[in-house]
Amino acid sequence: MKVLKFGGTSVGSVESIKNVKKIVEACDEPVIVVVSALGGITDKLIETARLAGTGDSEYLTHFKGIIHRHHNVIDGIVPEKRKQEVLQIVNELLDELGNIFRGVSLIKDLSAKTQNTIVSYGERISSVIVSRVINDAVHYDSREFIKTEVQFNKNIVDFDLTNELVRKTFKELPKVSLVPGFISSDKKNNDVTNLGRGGSDYTAAILAAALGASRLEIWTDVDGFMTADPRVISNTYVIEHLSFIEAMELCNFGAKVIYPPTIYPVYHKNIPIVIKNTFNPEAQGTLITQDSASGEGKAIKGISSINDTCLITVTGLGMVGVIGINYRIFKALAKSGVSVFLVSQASSENNTSFAVKNADADLAVKVLTEEFAQEIEMGEISEISAEKDLATVAIVGENMKHTPGIAGKLFNTLGRNGINVIACAQGASETNISFVIELNSLRKALNVIHDSFFLSNVQVLNLFITGIGLVGKDLLEQIRKQQPNLLKDKSLRLNIVGLANSKKCLFRREGISLDHYEEELKASPLSASPAAIRDGIIQMNIFNSVFVDCTASNEIAGIYKDLLNHNVSVVAANKIAASSAYDNYAELKRIARKRDVKFLFETNVGAGLPIINTINNLINSGDKILKIEAVVSGTLNFIFNVLSEDIPLSKAIRLAQESGYSEPDPRLDLNGQDVVRKLVILAREAGYRVEQSDVVKKLFIPEEYFQGSLDDFWKQIPKLDKEFEERRKKLVSENKRYRFVATLDGGKVEVGLQEVDSKHPFYQLEGSNNVILITTDRYKEYPMVIKGYGAGAMVTAAGVFADIISIANIR
Ligand code: ADP
Ligand code: ASP
Ligand code: MG
C-alpha cells in the first residue's frame, strides 16, 4: 500500500479535485489518501476567528465566504446522487462552526483550544467532500488515531499510542481510505489539536511509517522539490533525487514544499518519498530516499530560506570561559516554547547569537533578560539585543562533505554582490551552511548563489541602460539580436532590468523585452532623473547588475559612485567620469576594486578599438608606457578628411554631427575638449596623474566661436570656411594633411593641429578612423599601432557591448 497526500491547492477547486480523483483511481494497490483543507481555507478560518475574537461583525462576511467556497466545490464536483448526503454532512459541520464563531464573537475570547477546534473544520469538511468524489473511498477521522500530548507548550505526537491506533484502524485496508490531514486530538482529554501549519504532510508520513507503506507521495502544485523557492527566484528547476538528510535540511530551513517533521517517520522506516504535481502528473517529480544521487556531482543540491528571522545576541566579557551560559540560554528559551533554528558562537565565547521567528523575538528577549538579570546588572552581560526583519539562507548538499572551498565560494559570491553576512553556522556534518542576512537582500542572495554554484547552468547579467540616443539604440539592437546566441552558446542571459532616456525610466526585475521597449518606456509613469535612476537601481537590489551609461551627461556620471558602492558594475560610454578630477577617477576605480565590481570605459577612447584594455595589459605585465601619440578624434579626422572644394568647414562639421561621429554638441570636439578628455584618460590609464588643466591646447578655431549658444555657433562658423579652404589648398599642394594629435610624452600632455607629410603613420587615416601609437619599454623602436574606426554609433555600441560581456565569466 502507499500513502498519497494532496495539499490545499490540489483540493482547492473543482478542476483540481478531478485530477485527484483520476490519480487515486488509477492506483492498483490500496491507498490511503490524506487531504488538506481547500487551498486558503485554513488561513480564512484563522482570520475569521481573529475577527470574531475581537467582536468584529465583519467575521460574518468571511464566514459566508467560507460557506460559499465549499458549496461551490460541492456543486461542481460531487455526483448528483451523493450531493444531498454531502450537503447534509457539510452543512451540519458549517452550522457547528457558525455557532462556535458566534460564541467567540459574543464573549470576545478566542482560546487556543477554540482556535484549534475552528481550524479543524477545514480538513474535516474537505475530506468529506473528496471521500464522496473518489469511487469506493472510505472516510476516516484522524482525530481518532493521531494522538498528541503537550510538551514545551506544543502539541507533540505520541508515537507509541498513535502507531498502535493507526495499525488497529487500518487493519483491514479498503481500496481507498480517505483521511483528513493536519488534525489530531489530545491523548488525555480528546480536545482537538493539530500538527502545525502545513501538517497534513506529517499526517501522511505518520500513516505511511506506522503501516510500512511502500512509498509516500506528496502531491502538490509544483513539479517537485526545486533548487530554491520558486516564489522568490525564477530560474529554479526540479531536483530529481535527494537524500532524506538533504530533504530534511532543506525543509527545516523553509522550503515549504514539505512540512519539516514529515521526513523523520518515513526516514526511520526507509520509505521513499515522492513529490509530484497534481496539475502535471506526467512530470517525474522528486524522489527522496536514503542515498542521494551522488552521480550528479554538484556540491550543493538546493538552497532554502526563511524570510521571517530575528537574530538575538547574548554578549558580554562575563561569558568567556564560564560554563553553563549556553545551557541557561537554551533552557530558558525551551521553557517558554521559543524555537531556535540557527545558533552561532565564536570560539572566543564572548557572544552567542541565535535566530528565532520575529514573532518569538520579544518573548525571547524577555525570558533571557530575566534569566541573566543579575549578570546584566553587574555589567557582565550586555542588554540582550534583537535584530528583526532579517532572513536566513541555507545551502544544502551531501556532496559538500569534505569538499574544500564551498564556504569560500559562497561568501565570496555574497561579498561581491554587496550582501553582508550577519551571522553564519555550519555543523560538522557539512551538509548545510546557513547564514543570516538583511531581508531586503534575500532575493539577491538566492539568485547569486543559484548562479554561482551553477545550479541553473545559466549565468545572468542584469543590465540597466541609460541614454537611448544613437549609441544606446544601437546597443539595444545588438543585444536584442545577440541575446539568443549568448544564451545558447555561452549560457549567458542578458536581462534588461532597467531603461532610461532623458524623460522616462522603466524598471522590471523579470526583464524588459527589447521588441517594444520604446513604446513601453514612453508609457512608463516614472520620470527620469539621475536620482530616480540611481534610487531605482539601488532599491531593486538585484544581483550581477551592470549600469550602462550611453549618455554624455555630467549628472549621470555623478551617480556612478553610489552605484559602485552598491556593488553595481558601471560600463560607461560617457567620458565624463574617467576624465573628471583625478581624485574622483581614482576613487571610482578604488571603490570598484574594493567592491569587486567593474568600472569599464573602453569606448571612451577610440570607440570599439581595444586601446584601454591594451594599455592595461601592457602595464599589468610590467611594461612602462613612455609615449602615446594619437589621433583620437574620429570627428575631427572625419572633418579634415571630408573637407574639399565642395565641402567647406561648416558643412563638414554638420555632416559629422548628422552622421553621429561628433558629440551631440560638436563644439566639444572642435574646441579640443573631447580630445583633451580622451588624452587625460589615456595618460591616467598609462599610469600618469594628469588633470584636464594640464593639457596644452593648440586649437584651430578661435575661442570666440565657442562663447555663445549652439545656435550662435552654427550661424558663425561659415565665416571660417574661406580661410580654411585656402589653407587646405596649400596643404594639398605640399602633399600634407592636417591631423589633430594628442600626445603624452613623459608625463607631459598636449593636443594640437599638426601637418603631417605622406611618410608619417598618421597620413593615411581614412574617414573617422583613429590611430594610436604606443611607445613603451618593450615597444620602443617600433611602437605599437592600433588603428581603425574610432567613432560611430555602431562600433561604439559594440565596444560597450564587449565591456558588458567582459563582466560575465564566459569563454
Ligand atoms: P500544499 O498546499 O500542496 O501543501 P504548499 O504551498 O505547502 O503546498 O507547498 C508547495 C509550495 O512550496 C510551492 O507552490 C512553492 O511555491 C513552495 N516552495 C518553497 N520552496 C520550494 C522548493 N524548494 N521547491 C518547491 N516548492 C517550494
Ligand atoms: N490546512 C493546513 C494548513 O494550511 C494543513 C496543510 O495544508 O497541510 O496549514
Ligand atoms: Mg504544504
Side-chain angles (χ1 to χ4, degrees):
M1 58 83 65
K2 57 181 185 176
V3 179
L4 277 61
K5 177 259 168 175
F6 292 91
T9 42
S10 304
V11 293
S13 68
V14 171
E15 281 317 304
S16 64
I17 300 176
K18 278 186 189 155
N19 292 349
V20 173
K21 177 176 163 70
K22 230 188 265 161
I23 292 162
V24 173
E25 288 174 0
C27 294
D28 40 21
E29 60 190 306
V31 289
I32 297 186
V33 175
V34 176
V35 291
S36 295
L38 308 194
I41 285 293
T42 311
D43 287 333
K44 264 263 176 312
L45 289 167
I46 292 171
E47 176 58 9
T48 312
R50 190 191 63 78
L51 289 170
T54 59
D56 185 339
S57 60
E58 189 53 21
Y59 89 84
L60 274 169
T61 321
H62 284 250
F63 180 47
K64 277 191 195 131
I66 293 173
I67 299 175
H68 195 65
R69 177 90 191 279
H70 287 104
H71 281 170
N72 265 351
V73 167
I74 295 170
D75 225 32
I77 189 85
V78 177
E80 274 315 313
K81 59 179 190 311
R82 304 197 77 172
K83 230 174 226 166
Q84 263 329 98
E85 173 204 352
V86 172
L87 273 175
Q88 195 188 336
I89 306 173
V90 170
N91 284 342
E92 262 171 36
L93 290 169
L94 287 169
D95 280 348
E96 274 172 41
L97 179 60
N99 289 335
I100 300 173
F101 278 136
R102 202 154 65 86
V104 169
S105 87
L106 286 175
I107 54 172
K108 295 198 185 110
D109 180 50
L110 178 66
S111 68
K113 180 170 155 179
T114 313
Q115 163 117 352
N116 284 343
T117 308
I118 290 172
V119 290
S120 73
Y121 282 89
E123 269 71 6
R124 288 166 68 189
I125 300 176
S126 69
S127 58
V128 167
I129 299 175
V130 181
S131 71
R132 272 39 174 211
V133 173
I134 295 175
N135 289 339
D136 303 325
V138 182
H139 183 246
Y140 292 81
D141 184 344
S142 31
R143 290 172 300 171
E144 286 164 13
F145 46 80
I146 309 269
K147 292 289 177 182
T148 60
E149 60 186 341
V150 178
Q151 272 178 27
F152 292 117
N153 282 338
K154 293 217 154 77
N155 294 311
I156 306 293
V157 174
D158 177 332
F159 271 98
D160 290 340
L161 180 57
T162 300
N163 284 342
E164 186 192 323
L165 291 172
V166 168
R167 286 183 196 125
K168 217 186 271 167
T169 312
F170 295 97
K171 207 159 179 228
E172 302 289 326
L173 261 187
K175 174 85 198 331
V176 179
S177 313
L178 209 298
V179 175
F182 181 55
I183 59 177
S184 48
S185 65
D186 185 271
K187 73 172 183 183
K188 288 205 186 105
N189 54 24
N190 279 333
D191 281 351
V192 186
T193 57
N194 62 59
L195 305 180
R197 293 307 307 273
S200 298
D201 300 338
Y202 196 22
T203 309
I206 294 167
L207 295 176
L211 299 171
S214 61
R215 64 189 212 160
L216 166 62
E217 296 180 359
I218 306 278
W219 289 82
T220 182
D221 61 347
V222 280
D223 277 349
F225 217 120
M226 309 276 194
T227 46
D229 191 336
R231 294 163 303 180
V232 184
I233 70 172
S234 55
N235 51 353
T236 57
Y237 62 90
V238 174
I239 309 170
E240 281 177 23
H241 196 172
L242 284 170
S243 70
F244 285 123
I245 304 280
E246 287 168 336
M248 199 134 55
E249 296 277 18
L250 284 169
C251 37
N252 262 331
F253 253 83
K256 194 188 170 210
V257 63
I258 308 182
Y259 181 53
T262 307
I263 315 278
Y264 298 91
V266 286
Y267 166 63
H268 285 302
K269 289 285 177 70
N270 200 7
I271 297 169
I273 306 177
V274 187
I275 319 274
K276 296 276 287 178
N277 190 349
T278 307
F279 304 88
N280 184 17
E282 286 74 37
Q284 189 185 340
T286 300
L287 175 67
I288 305 172
T289 59
Q290 203 81 50
D291 309 308
S292 90
S294 51
E296 277 185 40
K298 280 185 179 136
I300 75 170
K301 277 292 193 59
I303 316 165
S304 59
S305 54
I306 302 176
N307 53 14
D308 178 4
T309 299
C310 169
L311 195 68
I312 303 206
T313 302
V314 183
T315 180
L317 290 178
M319 293 165 67
V320 178
V322 179
I323 293 177
I325 298 274
N326 283 336
Y327 170 70
R328 285 170 59 197
I329 294 176
F330 296 109
K331 188 182 68 176
L333 294 171
K335 258 191 7 216
S336 46
V338 173
S339 156
V340 172
F341 54 82
L342 174 143
V343 184
S344 164
Q345 187 203 305
S347 57
S348 64
E349 296 186 36
N350 76 351
N351 72 59
T352 297
S353 296
F354 56 87
V356 300
K357 295 197 158 155
N358 285 308
D360 287 339
D362 294 341
L363 178 61
V365 170
K366 181 171 162 279
V367 299
L368 293 176
T369 305
E370 280 163 17
E371 174 70 35
F372 293 103
Q374 221 174 355
E375 286 88 346
I376 293 172
E377 201 180 324
M378 310 266 292
E380 288 168 359
I381 287 183
S382 314
E383 295 284 327
I384 313 290
S385 66
E387 206 178 334
K388 286 191 181 167
D389 298 325
L390 304 174
T392 311
V393 179
I395 62 170
V396 169
E398 292 215 64
N399 284 349
M400 293 202 302
K401 246 181 252 174
H402 311 306
T403 311
I406 305 278
K409 185 169 171 184
L410 170 69
F411 293 122
N412 177 21
T413 304
L414 295 170
R416 236 184 319 114
N417 282 279
I419 300 164
N420 183 39
V421 174
I422 303 171
C424 65
Q426 182 201 294
S429 70
E430 294 185 61
T431 48
N432 176 324
I433 303 176
S434 313
F435 54 94
V436 177
I437 53 176
E438 298 272 355
L439 180 57
N440 65 9
S441 296
L442 175 60
R443 185 198 301 263
K444 191 173 176 183
L446 294 184
N447 273 301
V448 293
I449 300 168
H450 210 267
D451 256 36
S452 97
F453 284 89
F454 293 107
L455 284 177
S456 50
N457 290 326
V458 171
Q459 205 186 147
V460 181
L461 281 187
N462 289 302
L463 310 181
F464 298 89
I465 298 178
T466 314
I468 321 240
L470 287 172
V471 173
K473 251 200 204 105
D474 251 18
L475 173 65
L476 288 169
E477 181 55 17
Q478 289 177 17
I479 293 178
R480 190 185 67 80
K481 285 206 183 118
Q482 190 59 2
Q483 267 169 335
N485 299 330
L486 286 171
L487 189 61
K488 185 162 79 43
D489 302 334
K490 304 285 178 180
S491 298
L492 173 66
R493 189 150 69 83
L494 295 182
N495 196 26
I496 314 292
V497 291
L499 282 178
N501 57 19
S502 54
K503 298 196 186 72
K504 293 291 187 66
C505 52
L506 176 66
F507 296 102
R508 188 175 304 142
R509 189 177 282 282
E510 315 76 58
I512 300 165
S513 154
L514 291 182
D515 293 334
H516 324 278
Y517 73 88
E518 279 165 305
E519 293 89 320
E520 285 206 65
L521 191 57
K522 210 169 186 181
S524 169
L526 292 178
S527 22
S529 70
I533 294 170
R534 177 197 60 203
D535 297 347
I537 295 173
I538 292 174
Q539 270 157 26
M540 211 180 226
N541 194 18
I542 204 164
F543 72 110
N544 291 355
S545 40
V546 183
F547 176 67
V548 183
D549 180 3
C550 296
T551 72
S553 149
N554 245 314
E555 292 74 30
I556 296 287
I559 68 175
Y560 295 178
K561 188 167 149 190
D562 284 343
L563 294 175
L564 290 167
N565 261 324
H566 284 84
N567 294 73
V568 178
S569 289
V570 172
V571 170
N574 182 350
K575 302 178 201 53
I576 291 187
S579 62
S580 63
Y582 185 88
D583 285 341
N584 185 53
Y585 153 87
E587 191 184 10
L588 294 176
K589 292 201 112 184
R590 190 180 51 72
I591 298 173
R593 241 191 321 270
K594 180 172 134 208
R595 297 279 173 185
D596 206 0
V597 290
K598 295 281 175 24
F599 171 37
L600 302 176
F601 41 88
E602 176 62 85
T603 53
N604 282 191
V605 184
L609 296 179
I611 297 174
I612 292 177
N613 268 324
T614 306
I615 292 177
N616 284 324
N617 288 341
L618 290 170
I619 292 194
N620 290 340
S621 63
D623 206 349
K624 182 165 169 42
I625 312 272
L626 305 172
K627 189 170 178 186
I628 294 179
E629 294 152 282
V631 175
V632 280
S633 173
T635 321
L636 296 185
N637 208 46
F638 174 85
I639 291 170
F640 293 132
N641 280 340
V642 91
L643 279 181
S644 66
E645 240 177 287
D646 304 328
I647 306 180
L649 180 69
S650 58
K651 189 162 178 202
I653 298 173
R654 183 69 84 178
L655 276 177
Q657 192 229 24
E658 281 169 2
S659 43
Y661 289 126
S662 78
E663 297 288 312
D665 178 350
R667 291 175 302 173
L668 289 178
D669 294 298
L670 297 165
N671 69 6
Q673 165 100 59
D674 182 61
V675 180
V676 166
R677 283 182 177 151
K678 288 174 175 162
L679 178 58
V680 163
I681 296 169
L682 284 177
R684 288 171 176 178
E685 292 294 300
Y688 297 92
R689 185 187 174 114
V690 297
E691 299 286 359
Q692 289 193 29
S693 54
D694 296 331
V695 180
V696 178
K697 293 201 254 180
K698 296 180 179 158
L699 299 181
F700 56 95
I701 292 185
E703 190 55 38
E704 64 261 27
Y705 282 79
F706 301 118
Q707 306 294 338
S709 67
L710 185 56
D711 263 0
D712 295 338
F713 172 80
W714 287 122
K715 278 190 209 124
Q716 301 286 332
I717 199 72
K719 282 199 221 152
L720 288 179
D721 286 352
K722 192 157 161 272
E723 181 200 330
F724 253 81
E725 176 54 16
E726 277 159 20
R727 284 166 67 180
R728 188 193 65 84
K729 276 202 189 115
K730 182 165 169 286
L731 265 189
V732 171
S733 70
E734 292 168 4
N735 208 14
K736 284 183 183 165
R737 283 177 182 165
Y738 276 137
R739 294 293 175 236
F740 194 76
V741 182
T743 317
L744 162 78
D745 193 350
K748 296 228 169 346
V749 273
E750 184 181 302
V751 300
L753 201 57
Q754 291 182 12
E755 297 176 1
V756 298
D757 63 31
S758 59
K759 290 195 200 70
H760 195 283
F762 290 174
Y763 183 85
Q764 284 297 351
L765 196 61
E766 290 78 13
S768 69
N769 284 2
N770 278 193
V771 59
I772 165 159
L773 288 179
I774 309 175
T775 312
T776 74
D777 270 346
R778 291 178 190 151
Y779 292 83
K780 213 178 235 161
E781 211 170 324
Y782 301 102
M784 183 185 276
V785 187
I786 303 169
K787 186 173 170 181
Y789 292 129
M794 187 177 73
V795 287
T796 307
V800 171
F801 199 177
D803 268 353
I804 295 172
I805 291 187
S806 75
I807 294 176
N809 219 350
I810 57 170
R811 275 170 290 274

